[in-house]
Every structure is written in C-alpha cells, then in structure tokens.
Amino acid sequence: MQRFTDLATIRRRVWDRLTAAATEPGHPLRALSFGTSTDGRPQLRTVILRDADPDERVLAFHTDRQSQKVADIRAEEKITWLGWTPETREQIRLSGTASLHFDDAVADEMWQEQSPESLNLYARERAPGTPLEAPRDGRDAAVKTDPVTREDVADGRPNFAVVRTIIDGIDWLHLHPEGHYRAQFQFDAEADAFEGGWVVP
C-alpha cells in the first residue's frame, strides 16, 4: 500500500478524489456523511456529493428545503463532512461554512444539471420526517413512471435546495499497515492557501 509523505501531495489527493467523486456514481467518496447540530445535538446523515471545486474550496449537494438539515444550517452554518475509503484505508474530515440556495442561480444551475431520476424525490407534498401510517416514499405518482421526464419532476422544484460548503479545514488519516499517520490542513485567508502539518493519529 502506498504511503504518502508530502503534505502538498496529500492535499491535492484529497481534492482530486473529491472532484472525481462528484461525477463518478461508483466512487467511494460519492456518498459522504454530513454533520450539523440540532439544538446542540450532533446530527449525521449520508448525502451524495454533486459538486467539488478545489479552487473555490467548495463541496455541494442537493436536498429537500423542508428537511431538518436545512433548518439546522439556518441555525448554525458551521458543518462537517466525513468520508472513508475502505480500499485505501483513508479517512477524510472536512469542516467549513454552509450556505443555502433555493431560488437563485446556484440552485437553478444544479436543478438543470441533474437527471430527472435524481430529482424525483422532490415531487412530494409532505416534508421529510412527516409521520406515516405505513412505509412509503411519499412521491407523486407522476414520478413513478419509467422513464421519469423533466416534466414529471417539475412540481418538485419548490422543494429543491442546494447546500454549498466553503471548506476551511481538512483532517486526513491513513490507516497504513506500516503505521497509521495523519495530516491536518487549515485555510489561511491572508496567504489564500491551506497550511498543513502532521499530527498524532
């Protein structure tokens, strides 16, 4: 198993892999844990990474604007991402500041970029977490056809939101057979760059 000893290489590797994950459905970092807090209690859920821009330090995903995570971000914009790659035994934690996008250019662009299949869950009347008498997904009948068209999902646009995060901290851990090791990076606004260093894993 490869061992990485150069901090700049590790930082580039993290962003290269996140950028790939945003466009490759089978990538191990495509589904990441996203952490917020509700009334001071930590909350985690899995989200699908839809955009990664290393130059802007941005990670983004889409969600239902009625969801608890949106309410959490309204109350506290500081968030955390977590990813794990079993094959290479690497963990990444990323921290930053989230922003919400509903009816602006950011949300419009992502809505247009996504396939109707990935948008069909927004065509529903009830908010995520609404109690039900029996298990069901709550989607409108129109989006349960095959194939799902953009017209079928149009009614879901008012429920659609984009969560965009500016990353300012990266924690990278490698569980290597020859010994675990860990690096941390913090964005320095004055230098306009991430500064990194080694820490005890």
Side-chain angles (χ1 to χ4, degrees):
M1 180 181 290
Q2 186 173 359
R3 190 174 178 88
F4 302 94
T5 57
D6 180 69
L7 289 167
T9 298
I10 292 169
R11 180 178 46 76
R12 284 193 302 270
R13 175 176 172 80
V14 168
W15 280 109
D16 286 349
R17 300 182 76 228
L18 289 168
T19 301
T23 58
E24 298 174 15
H27 196 285
L29 296 178
R30 176 79 161 172
L32 296 168
S33 295
F34 182 76
T36 60
S37 61
T38 303
D39 298 326
R41 298 181 64 182
Q43 301 289 336
L44 286 172
R45 74 283 289 163
T46 302
V47 299
I48 303 301
L49 183 63
R50 302 291 180 175
D51 187 33
D53 185 339
D55 295 331
E56 299 295 326
R57 300 182 287 128
V58 167
L59 298 180
F61 65 94
H62 57 75
T63 190
D64 194 308
R65 71 174 70 184
Q66 307 167 95
S67 66
Q68 182 61 50
K69 70 178 80 65
V70 168
D72 290 349
I73 293 167
R74 287 185 194 275
E76 174 52 71
E77 61 187 11
K78 297 299 184 184
I79 56 78
T80 301
W81 296 74
L82 173 67
W84 167 252
T85 307
E87 294 81 7
T88 60
R89 299 174 60 82
E90 292 170 81
Q91 174 186 274
I92 56 169
R93 288 188 296 161
L94 306 110
S95 57
T97 304
S99 58
L100 299 168
H101 302 268
F102 304 123
D103 301 307
D104 60 8
V106 171
D108 287 342
E109 181 178 357
M110 188 170 286
W111 177 267
Q112 292 302 321
E113 289 175 348
Q114 302 302 304
S115 68
E117 289 78 11
S118 70
L119 300 173
N120 68 43
L121 59 92
Y122 300 113
R124 58 186 174 195
E125 293 182 4
R126 298 182 182 184
T130 301
L132 297 170
E133 294 181 0
R136 64 186 193 87
D137 60 22
R139 294 179 302 150
D140 293 347
V143 298
K144 296 184 179 182
T145 59
D146 188 21
V148 178
T149 67
R150 193 155 290 277
E151 291 73 26
D152 293 334
V153 301
D155 287 345
R157 179 62 182 87
N159 296 329
F160 181 81
V162 173
V163 177
R164 191 172 183 265
T165 305
I166 304 294
I167 299 299
D168 54 33
I170 300 170
D171 189 304
W172 178 87
L173 173 67
H174 195 189
L175 302 185
H176 198 280
E178 297 174 8
H180 304 169
Y181 61 113
R182 179 181 171 196
Q184 291 181 336
F185 304 86
Q186 195 68 33
F187 186 74
D188 183 329
E190 289 188 9
D192 193 28
F194 279 98
E195 301 294 336
W198 302 104
V199 297
V200 176

PDB file of all heavy atoms in Angstrom, residues 107-136:
ATOM      1  N   ALA A 107     -28.928  27.261  -7.274  1.00  0.00           N
ATOM      2  CA  ALA A 107     -29.950  26.203  -7.260  1.00  0.00           C
ATOM      3  C   ALA A 107     -30.465  25.920  -8.665  1.00  0.00           C
ATOM      4  O   ALA A 107     -30.655  24.760  -9.046  1.00  0.00           O
ATOM      5  CB  ALA A 107     -31.094  26.592  -6.335  1.00  0.00           C
ATOM      6  N   ASP A 108     -30.690  26.971  -9.445  1.00  0.00           N
ATOM      7  CA  ASP A 108     -31.192  26.780 -10.814  1.00  0.00           C
ATOM      8  C   ASP A 108     -30.213  25.967 -11.648  1.00  0.00           C
ATOM      9  O   ASP A 108     -30.616  25.074 -12.404  1.00  0.00           O
ATOM     10  CB  ASP A 108     -31.435  28.136 -11.491  1.00  0.00           C
ATOM     11  CG  ASP A 108     -32.649  28.861 -10.949  1.00  0.00           C
ATOM     12  OD1 ASP A 108     -33.503  28.211 -10.308  1.00  0.00           O
ATOM     13  OD2 ASP A 108     -32.746  30.084 -11.162  1.00  0.00           O
ATOM     14  N   GLU A 109     -28.920  26.268 -11.519  1.00  0.00           N
ATOM     15  CA  GLU A 109     -27.918  25.555 -12.305  1.00  0.00           C
ATOM     16  C   GLU A 109     -27.864  24.078 -11.926  1.00  0.00           C
ATOM     17  O   GLU A 109     -27.825  23.208 -12.806  1.00  0.00           O
ATOM     18  CB  GLU A 109     -26.544  26.200 -12.105  1.00  0.00           C
ATOM     19  CG  GLU A 109     -25.439  25.537 -12.918  1.00  0.00           C
ATOM     20  CD  GLU A 109     -24.092  26.198 -12.756  1.00  0.00           C
ATOM     21  OE1 GLU A 109     -24.007  27.228 -12.050  1.00  0.00           O
ATOM     22  OE2 GLU A 109     -23.112  25.694 -13.340  1.00  0.00           O
ATOM     23  N   MET A 110     -27.883  23.780 -10.624  1.00  0.00           N
ATOM     24  CA  MET A 110     -27.820  22.375 -10.233  1.00  0.00           C
ATOM     25  C   MET A 110     -29.096  21.636 -10.626  1.00  0.00           C
ATOM     26  O   MET A 110     -29.038  20.470 -11.022  1.00  0.00           O
ATOM     27  CB  MET A 110     -27.532  22.219  -8.738  1.00  0.00           C
ATOM     28  CG  MET A 110     -27.264  20.770  -8.360  1.00  0.00           C
ATOM     29  SD  MET A 110     -26.644  20.490  -6.683  1.00  0.00           S
ATOM     30  CE  MET A 110     -24.950  21.046  -6.828  1.00  0.00           C
ATOM     31  N   TRP A 111     -30.243  22.280 -10.516  1.00  0.00           N
ATOM     32  CA  TRP A 111     -31.502  21.656 -10.940  1.00  0.00           C
ATOM     33  C   TRP A 111     -31.416  21.245 -12.409  1.00  0.00           C
ATOM     34  O   TRP A 111     -31.820  20.149 -12.787  1.00  0.00           O
ATOM     35  CB  TRP A 111     -32.675  22.596 -10.704  1.00  0.00           C
ATOM     36  CG  TRP A 111     -33.991  22.056 -11.174  1.00  0.00           C
ATOM     37  CD1 TRP A 111     -34.581  22.258 -12.400  1.00  0.00           C
ATOM     38  CD2 TRP A 111     -34.886  21.196 -10.450  1.00  0.00           C
ATOM     39  NE1 TRP A 111     -35.777  21.589 -12.478  1.00  0.00           N
ATOM     40  CE2 TRP A 111     -35.989  20.936 -11.295  1.00  0.00           C
ATOM     41  CE3 TRP A 111     -34.859  20.636  -9.174  1.00  0.00           C
ATOM     42  CZ2 TRP A 111     -37.059  20.129 -10.896  1.00  0.00           C
ATOM     43  CZ3 TRP A 111     -35.924  19.832  -8.780  1.00  0.00           C
ATOM     44  CH2 TRP A 111     -37.006  19.587  -9.631  1.00  0.00           C
ATOM     45  N   GLN A 112     -30.873  22.112 -13.241  1.00  0.00           N
ATOM     46  CA  GLN A 112     -30.768  21.815 -14.669  1.00  0.00           C
ATOM     47  C   GLN A 112     -29.732  20.729 -14.957  1.00  0.00           C
ATOM     48  O   GLN A 112     -29.883  19.952 -15.899  1.00  0.00           O
ATOM     49  CB  GLN A 112     -30.408  23.091 -15.449  1.00  0.00           C
ATOM     50  CG  GLN A 112     -31.512  24.126 -15.472  1.00  0.00           C
ATOM     51  CD  GLN A 112     -32.814  23.599 -16.065  1.00  0.00           C
ATOM     52  OE1 GLN A 112     -32.806  22.845 -17.045  1.00  0.00           O
ATOM     53  NE2 GLN A 112     -33.933  23.970 -15.463  1.00  0.00           N
ATOM     54  N   GLU A 113     -28.688  20.658 -14.149  1.00  0.00           N
ATOM     55  CA  GLU A 113     -27.616  19.681 -14.377  1.00  0.00           C
ATOM     56  C   GLU A 113     -28.002  18.264 -13.978  1.00  0.00           C
ATOM     57  O   GLU A 113     -27.469  17.299 -14.530  1.00  0.00           O
ATOM     58  CB  GLU A 113     -26.361  20.084 -13.580  1.00  0.00           C
ATOM     59  CG  GLU A 113     -25.646  21.302 -14.120  1.00  0.00           C
ATOM     60  CD  GLU A 113     -24.491  21.708 -13.225  1.00  0.00           C
ATOM     61  OE1 GLU A 113     -24.412  21.186 -12.084  1.00  0.00           O
ATOM     62  OE2 GLU A 113     -23.676  22.539 -13.659  1.00  0.00           O
ATOM     63  N   GLN A 114     -28.915  18.113 -13.025  1.00  0.00           N
ATOM     64  CA  GLN A 114     -29.246  16.791 -12.503  1.00  0.00           C
ATOM     65  C   GLN A 114     -30.238  16.061 -13.401  1.00  0.00           C
ATOM     66  O   GLN A 114     -31.083  16.676 -14.046  1.00  0.00           O
ATOM     67  CB  GLN A 114     -29.821  16.907 -11.086  1.00  0.00           C
ATOM     68  CG  GLN A 114     -28.897  17.577 -10.096  1.00  0.00           C
ATOM     69  CD  GLN A 114     -27.563  16.867  -9.976  1.00  0.00           C
ATOM     70  OE1 GLN A 114     -27.498  15.678  -9.688  1.00  0.00           O
ATOM     71  NE2 GLN A 114     -26.477  17.606 -10.190  1.00  0.00           N
ATOM     72  N   SER A 115     -30.144  14.746 -13.404  1.00  0.00           N
ATOM     73  CA  SER A 115     -31.079  13.940 -14.181  1.00  0.00           C
ATOM     74  C   SER A 115     -32.444  13.916 -13.500  1.00  0.00           C
ATOM     75  O   SER A 115     -32.528  14.072 -12.270  1.00  0.00           O
ATOM     76  CB  SER A 115     -30.566  12.504 -14.305  1.00  0.00           C
ATOM     77  OG  SER A 115     -30.608  11.869 -13.034  1.00  0.00           O
ATOM     78  N   PRO A 116     -33.522  13.720 -14.258  1.00  0.00           N
ATOM     79  CA  PRO A 116     -34.844  13.623 -13.631  1.00  0.00           C
ATOM     80  C   PRO A 116     -34.913  12.530 -12.560  1.00  0.00           C
ATOM     81  O   PRO A 116     -35.606  12.685 -11.561  1.00  0.00           O
ATOM     82  CB  PRO A 116     -35.760  13.308 -14.810  1.00  0.00           C
ATOM     83  CG  PRO A 116     -35.064  13.889 -15.996  1.00  0.00           C
ATOM     84  CD  PRO A 116     -33.599  13.681 -15.720  1.00  0.00           C
ATOM     85  N   GLU A 117     -34.175  11.430 -12.761  1.00  0.00           N
ATOM     86  CA  GLU A 117     -34.189  10.348 -11.779  1.00  0.00           C
ATOM     87  C   GLU A 117     -33.663  10.806 -10.419  1.00  0.00           C
ATOM     88  O   GLU A 117     -34.139  10.361  -9.366  1.00  0.00           O
ATOM     89  CB  GLU A 117     -33.365   9.151 -12.281  1.00  0.00           C
ATOM     90  CG  GLU A 117     -33.984   8.391 -13.425  1.00  0.00           C
ATOM     91  CD  GLU A 117     -33.829   9.086 -14.777  1.00  0.00           C
ATOM     92  OE1 GLU A 117     -33.052  10.074 -14.861  1.00  0.00           O
ATOM     93  OE2 GLU A 117     -34.470   8.664 -15.741  1.00  0.00           O
ATOM     94  N   SER A 118     -32.666  11.703 -10.421  1.00  0.00           N
ATOM     95  CA  SER A 118     -32.113  12.163  -9.147  1.00  0.00           C
ATOM     96  C   SER A 118     -32.965  13.258  -8.518  1.00  0.00           C
ATOM     97  O   SER A 118     -32.746  13.620  -7.359  1.00  0.00           O
ATOM     98  CB  SER A 118     -30.681  12.673  -9.342  1.00  0.00           C
ATOM     99  OG  SER A 118     -30.667  13.887 -10.058  1.00  0.00           O
ATOM    100  N   LEU A 119     -33.942  13.779  -9.268  1.00  0.00           N
ATOM    101  CA  LEU A 119     -34.796  14.856  -8.764  1.00  0.00           C
ATOM    102  C   LEU A 119     -36.189  14.379  -8.379  1.00  0.00           C
ATOM    103  O   LEU A 119     -36.975  15.149  -7.817  1.00  0.00           O
ATOM    104  CB  LEU A 119     -34.925  15.960  -9.823  1.00  0.00           C
ATOM    105  CG  LEU A 119     -33.627  16.633 -10.265  1.00  0.00           C
ATOM    106  CD1 LEU A 119     -33.893  17.565 -11.438  1.00  0.00           C
ATOM    107  CD2 LEU A 119     -32.972  17.375  -9.116  1.00  0.00           C
ATOM    108  N   ASN A 120     -36.514  13.111  -8.659  1.00  0.00           N
ATOM    109  CA  ASN A 120     -37.904  12.673  -8.484  1.00  0.00           C
ATOM    110  C   ASN A 120     -38.357  12.663  -7.031  1.00  0.00           C
ATOM    111  O   ASN A 120     -39.541  12.750  -6.751  1.00  0.00           O
ATOM    112  CB  ASN A 120     -38.152  11.309  -9.142  1.00  0.00           C
ATOM    113  CG  ASN A 120     -37.437  10.158  -8.458  1.00  0.00           C
ATOM    114  OD1 ASN A 120     -37.414  10.060  -7.236  1.00  0.00           O
ATOM    115  ND2 ASN A 120     -36.885   9.268  -9.258  1.00  0.00           N
ATOM    116  N   LEU A 121     -37.429  12.593  -6.082  1.00  0.00           N
ATOM    117  CA  LEU A 121     -37.846  12.548  -4.681  1.00  0.00           C
ATOM    118  C   LEU A 121     -38.378  13.890  -4.173  1.00  0.00           C
ATOM    119  O   LEU A 121     -38.978  13.960  -3.103  1.00  0.00           O
ATOM    120  CB  LEU A 121     -36.699  12.071  -3.790  1.00  0.00           C
ATOM    121  CG  LEU A 121     -35.416  12.903  -3.799  1.00  0.00           C
ATOM    122  CD1 LEU A 121     -35.432  13.945  -2.699  1.00  0.00           C
ATOM    123  CD2 LEU A 121     -34.217  12.003  -3.654  1.00  0.00           C
ATOM    124  N   TYR A 122     -38.159  14.963  -4.942  1.00  0.00           N
ATOM    125  CA  TYR A 122     -38.664  16.271  -4.513  1.00  0.00           C
ATOM    126  C   TYR A 122     -40.121  16.499  -4.898  1.00  0.00           C
ATOM    127  O   TYR A 122     -40.752  17.435  -4.395  1.00  0.00           O
ATOM    128  CB  TYR A 122     -37.786  17.390  -5.087  1.00  0.00           C
ATOM    129  CG  TYR A 122     -36.359  17.263  -4.627  1.00  0.00           C
ATOM    130  CD1 TYR A 122     -35.332  16.963  -5.512  1.00  0.00           C
ATOM    131  CD2 TYR A 122     -36.033  17.396  -3.281  1.00  0.00           C
ATOM    132  CE1 TYR A 122     -34.028  16.811  -5.082  1.00  0.00           C
ATOM    133  CE2 TYR A 122     -34.735  17.243  -2.835  1.00  0.00           C
ATOM    134  CZ  TYR A 122     -33.737  16.955  -3.741  1.00  0.00           C
ATOM    135  OH  TYR A 122     -32.442  16.798  -3.301  1.00  0.00           O
ATOM    136  N   ALA A 123     -40.635  15.661  -5.774  1.00  0.00           N
ATOM    137  CA  ALA A 123     -42.044  15.781  -6.187  1.00  0.00           C
ATOM    138  C   ALA A 123     -42.915  15.043  -5.170  1.00  0.00           C
ATOM    139  O   ALA A 123     -43.352  13.908  -5.376  1.00  0.00           O
ATOM    140  CB  ALA A 123     -42.242  15.217  -7.597  1.00  0.00           C
ATOM    141  N   ARG A 124     -43.153  15.696  -4.067  1.00  0.00           N
ATOM    142  CA  ARG A 124     -43.973  15.131  -2.994  1.00  0.00           C
ATOM    143  C   ARG A 124     -44.539  16.285  -2.172  1.00  0.00           C
ATOM    144  O   ARG A 124     -43.961  17.371  -2.121  1.00  0.00           O
ATOM    145  CB  ARG A 124     -43.164  14.195  -2.107  1.00  0.00           C
ATOM    146  CG  ARG A 124     -41.954  14.832  -1.465  1.00  0.00           C
ATOM    147  CD  ARG A 124     -41.118  13.825  -0.729  1.00  0.00           C
ATOM    148  NE  ARG A 124     -39.876  14.412  -0.240  1.00  0.00           N
ATOM    149  CZ  ARG A 124     -38.849  13.721   0.188  1.00  0.00           C
ATOM    150  NH1 ARG A 124     -38.904  12.408   0.191  1.00  0.00           N
ATOM    151  NH2 ARG A 124     -37.757  14.321   0.624  1.00  0.00           N
ATOM    152  N   GLU A 125     -45.664  16.016  -1.530  1.00  0.00           N
ATOM    153  CA  GLU A 125     -46.335  17.071  -0.782  1.00  0.00           C
ATOM    154  C   GLU A 125     -45.824  17.186   0.647  1.00  0.00           C
ATOM    155  O   GLU A 125     -45.782  18.270   1.209  1.00  0.00           O
ATOM    156  CB  GLU A 125     -47.851  16.826  -0.761  1.00  0.00           C
ATOM    157  CG  GLU A 125     -48.502  16.950  -2.121  1.00  0.00           C
ATOM    158  CD  GLU A 125     -50.003  16.754  -2.058  1.00  0.00           C
ATOM    159  OE1 GLU A 125     -50.530  16.588  -0.932  1.00  0.00           O
ATOM    160  OE2 GLU A 125     -50.644  16.757  -3.111  1.00  0.00           O
ATOM    161  N   ARG A 126     -45.438  16.075   1.243  1.00  0.00           N
ATOM    162  CA  ARG A 126     -45.071  16.081   2.656  1.00  0.00           C
ATOM    163  C   ARG A 126     -43.566  16.219   2.837  1.00  0.00           C
ATOM    164  O   ARG A 126     -42.777  15.700   2.065  1.00  0.00           O
ATOM    165  CB  ARG A 126     -45.561  14.808   3.333  1.00  0.00           C
ATOM    166  CG  ARG A 126     -47.073  14.664   3.291  1.00  0.00           C
ATOM    167  CD  ARG A 126     -47.507  13.412   4.013  1.00  0.00           C
ATOM    168  NE  ARG A 126     -48.956  13.228   3.955  1.00  0.00           N
ATOM    169  CZ  ARG A 126     -49.600  12.253   4.563  1.00  0.00           C
ATOM    170  NH1 ARG A 126     -48.936  11.352   5.263  1.00  0.00           N
ATOM    171  NH2 ARG A 126     -50.915  12.145   4.471  1.00  0.00           N
ATOM    172  N   ALA A 127     -43.194  16.896   3.905  1.00  0.00           N
ATOM    173  CA  ALA A 127     -41.781  17.124   4.210  1.00  0.00           C
ATOM    174  C   ALA A 127     -41.120  15.844   4.718  1.00  0.00           C
ATOM    175  O   ALA A 127     -41.785  14.985   5.310  1.00  0.00           O
ATOM    176  CB  ALA A 127     -41.660  18.217   5.263  1.00  0.00           C
ATOM    177  N   PRO A 128     -39.806  15.693   4.520  1.00  0.00           N
ATOM    178  CA  PRO A 128     -39.092  14.566   5.116  1.00  0.00           C
ATOM    179  C   PRO A 128     -39.304  14.545   6.624  1.00  0.00           C
ATOM    180  O   PRO A 128     -39.276  15.584   7.289  1.00  0.00           O
ATOM    181  CB  PRO A 128     -37.631  14.868   4.785  1.00  0.00           C
ATOM    182  CG  PRO A 128     -37.688  15.739   3.576  1.00  0.00           C
ATOM    183  CD  PRO A 128     -38.922  16.565   3.736  1.00  0.00           C
ATOM    184  N   GLY A 129     -39.526  13.355   7.162  1.00  0.00           N
ATOM    185  CA  GLY A 129     -39.750  13.208   8.596  1.00  0.00           C
ATOM    186  C   GLY A 129     -41.205  13.267   9.012  1.00  0.00           C
ATOM    187  O   GLY A 129     -41.522  13.052  10.188  1.00  0.00           O
ATOM    188  N   THR A 130     -42.116  13.517   8.050  1.00  0.00           N
ATOM    189  CA  THR A 130     -43.541  13.538   8.370  1.00  0.00           C
ATOM    190  C   THR A 130     -44.002  12.126   8.733  1.00  0.00           C
ATOM    191  O   THR A 130     -43.722  11.174   7.999  1.00  0.00           O
ATOM    192  CB  THR A 130     -44.368  14.048   7.167  1.00  0.00           C
ATOM    193  OG1 THR A 130     -43.920  15.367   6.833  1.00  0.00           O
ATOM    194  CG2 THR A 130     -45.854  14.070   7.494  1.00  0.00           C
ATOM    195  N   PRO A 131     -44.720  11.948   9.850  1.00  0.00           N
ATOM    196  CA  PRO A 131     -45.192  10.608  10.227  1.00  0.00           C
ATOM    197  C   PRO A 131     -46.143  10.012   9.193  1.00  0.00           C
ATOM    198  O   PRO A 131     -46.947  10.718   8.580  1.00  0.00           O
ATOM    199  CB  PRO A 131     -45.929  10.856  11.551  1.00  0.00           C
ATOM    200  CG  PRO A 131     -45.337  12.112  12.086  1.00  0.00           C
ATOM    201  CD  PRO A 131     -45.028  12.953  10.882  1.00  0.00           C
ATOM    202  N   LEU A 132     -46.034   8.690   8.994  1.00  0.00           N
ATOM    203  CA  LEU A 132     -46.894   7.954   8.075  1.00  0.00           C
ATOM    204  C   LEU A 132     -47.479   6.750   8.807  1.00  0.00           C
ATOM    205  O   LEU A 132     -46.884   6.245   9.764  1.00  0.00           O
ATOM    206  CB  LEU A 132     -46.101   7.467   6.857  1.00  0.00           C
ATOM    207  CG  LEU A 132     -45.489   8.532   5.944  1.00  0.00           C
ATOM    208  CD1 LEU A 132     -44.545   7.873   4.945  1.00  0.00           C
ATOM    209  CD2 LEU A 132     -46.586   9.298   5.204  1.00  0.00           C
ATOM    210  N   GLU A 133     -48.614   6.263   8.322  1.00  0.00           N
ATOM    211  CA  GLU A 133     -49.233   5.086   8.929  1.00  0.00           C
ATOM    212  C   GLU A 133     -48.618   3.791   8.415  1.00  0.00           C
ATOM    213  O   GLU A 133     -48.733   2.754   9.055  1.00  0.00           O
ATOM    214  CB  GLU A 133     -50.745   5.099   8.663  1.00  0.00           C
ATOM    215  CG  GLU A 133     -51.473   6.246   9.354  1.00  0.00           C
ATOM    216  CD  GLU A 133     -52.969   6.213   9.094  1.00  0.00           C
ATOM    217  OE1 GLU A 133     -53.424   5.293   8.374  1.00  0.00           O
ATOM    218  OE2 GLU A 133     -53.663   7.105   9.601  1.00  0.00           O
ATOM    219  N   ALA A 134     -47.978   3.851   7.252  1.00  0.00           N
ATOM    220  CA  ALA A 134     -47.341   2.671   6.658  1.00  0.00           C
ATOM    221  C   ALA A 134     -46.110   3.133   5.881  1.00  0.00           C
ATOM    222  O   ALA A 134     -46.010   4.300   5.498  1.00  0.00           O
ATOM    223  CB  ALA A 134     -48.327   1.955   5.727  1.00  0.00           C
ATOM    224  N   PRO A 135     -45.156   2.223   5.636  1.00  0.00           N
ATOM    225  CA  PRO A 135     -43.941   2.625   4.926  1.00  0.00           C
ATOM    226  C   PRO A 135     -44.217   2.947   3.460  1.00  0.00           C
ATOM    227  O   PRO A 135     -44.784   2.125   2.730  1.00  0.00           O
ATOM    228  CB  PRO A 135     -43.027   1.398   5.064  1.00  0.00           C
ATOM    229  CG  PRO A 135     -43.948   0.254   5.321  1.00  0.00           C
ATOM    230  CD  PRO A 135     -45.106   0.821   6.066  1.00  0.00           C
ATOM    231  N   ARG A 136     -43.855   4.135   3.034  1.00  0.00           N
ATOM    232  CA  ARG A 136     -43.922   4.540   1.631  1.00  0.00           C
ATOM    233  C   ARG A 136     -43.042   5.759   1.433  1.00  0.00           C
ATOM    234  O   ARG A 136     -42.668   6.425   2.396  1.00  0.00           O
ATOM    235  CB  ARG A 136     -45.360   4.799   1.191  1.00  0.00           C
ATOM    236  CG  ARG A 136     -46.073   5.926   1.862  1.00  0.00           C
ATOM    237  CD  ARG A 136     -47.551   5.997   1.445  1.00  0.00           C
ATOM    238  NE  ARG A 136     -48.181   7.232   1.838  1.00  0.00           N
ATOM    239  CZ  ARG A 136     -48.181   8.345   1.129  1.00  0.00           C
ATOM    240  NH1 ARG A 136     -47.561   8.379  -0.035  1.00  0.00           N
ATOM    241  NH2 ARG A 136     -48.775   9.448   1.552  1.00  0.00           N
TER     242      ARG A 136
END
